[in-house]
Amino acid sequence: MKWLLVLLILLGGGVAAAALTVPTNAAVVNGSAISQQTLNSDISAIVGSPDYQCYLTSEDYLSSNGNQVLPPITGAGQGQNVGDNPTANSAFVATYLDTEIGHELVLYLATTHHVTVTPEQLTEARANLVNQIDGVMSQVSQTAQGQNPRFSCGSPSPLTGQVVLASLPASFVDAQVQFVATASALQEDLAGVGSSEGQLEGYYERHRAQFDTACFNAAEYSSESAAKQAQASIDFGTPFAQVASSATQSGTIPCTELVAVAGELGAAVSTLQGLAVGKASAPISVSGNYVVLELSKRTP
């Protein structure tokens, strides 16, 4: 999406007046405009919150497994007048515009599916956003960047979600909460789950087997062919311990819900749902290796 527009926003006195050469809209998504004023306002809010900048930097670092760091928000020079805020970094603005375009796409999809959110869902979304920030800041504090001011903001203990959100304008926080609530409601709608107690109970009844508690033996192989051979041997009746002797590593997976095991391995629930005790799953690709699971026990 970065080809849409690369902007250089001058932030003086909060939000600078747009020059004649700057378009009215920063982007148009499916006919819905992201105005230049909205983008300027959001960038200004982030400029005014070093704590939120540290959170965004930490989130980007963790989500990329340490392979990338968000561009600094400022550093492209000063405004023309004494006391002007620093000019925003165009690389950051382009990245943040990507985020806003992504949000607009989700909101558009929610509208087409007639998804709305309730006050209760907004309250839950706000709590989830706080917890998300708590988790990110706690996790990054345990990495090599834990004492880096760009990630910690110099705080001796991890920043909390409450502290970070309190450093931002209420309107900016409300918009983030609205997006989180809408995205969650849309996900529930597309998955056919729903959010009311009755809808959740109905989903459970229709997918009861996915929530069976299951115990597995697991063996990991470096090639898919070796994993398929192990699957066939287990299904033929060869003891798991004998089959696993040629694995790169093996062990047991603690008893838990089928859907949780599948989610942890990044596999479809259907891969495990039809297994009988003593039978093996098809090889599951995990980080370049292949895992075969033998179902040892299953309880509704």
Side-chain angles (χ1 to χ4, degrees), residues 107 115-131 162 165 170-186 188 195:
L107 296 176
V115 170
T116 58
V117 297
T118 65
E120 293 75 18
Q121 287 172 312
L122 287 172
T123 299
E124 182 180 2
R126 189 176 294 270
N128 289 339
L129 183 56
V130 169
N131 292 337
Q162 293 285 6
L165 295 185
S171 58
F172 180 88
V173 176
D174 289 345
Q176 305 309 306
V177 169
Q178 179 71 45
F179 170 75
V180 172
T182 303
S184 297
L186 176 62
E188 292 167 352
S195 57

Side-chain angles (χ1 to χ4, degrees), residues 7 23-27 32-41 97 100:
L7 300 173
T24 303
N25 296 323
S32 180
I34 300 173
S35 71
Q36 188 68 49
Q37 182 178 3
T38 296
L39 180 62
N40 287 4
S41 178
L97 179 58
E100 295 213 334

Side-chain angles (χ1 to χ4, degrees), residues 89-155:
N89 186 327
S90 60
F92 176 86
V93 176
T95 298
Y96 193 75
L97 179 58
D98 266 0
T99 298
E100 295 213 334
I101 291 171
H103 283 197
E104 192 61 41
L105 287 170
V106 170
L107 296 176
Y108 171 81
L109 189 58
T111 299
T112 62
H113 283 262
H114 308 290
V115 170
T116 58
V117 297
T118 65
E120 293 75 18
Q121 287 172 312
L122 287 172
T123 299
E124 182 180 2
R126 189 176 294 270
N128 289 339
L129 183 56
V130 169
N131 292 337
Q132 163 72 8
I133 298 173
D134 286 345
V136 166
M137 301 313 295
S138 176
Q139 188 176 348
V140 82
S141 70
Q142 301 172 40
T143 71
Q145 302 295 345
Q147 301 304 314
N148 186 333
R150 278 204 66 196
F151 295 81
S152 68
C153 278
S155 175

Side-chain angles (χ1 to χ4, degrees), residues 11 65 87 105 164 180 245 276 288:
L11 299 173
N65 294 317
T87 303
L105 287 170
V164 170
V180 172
S245 62

Side-chain angles (χ1 to χ4, degrees), residues 9-17 39-45 47-48 83-86:
I9 308 300
L10 299 179
L11 299 173
V15 179
L39 180 62
N40 287 4
S41 178
D42 287 350
I43 295 295
S44 180
V47 166
D84 280 352
N85 289 330

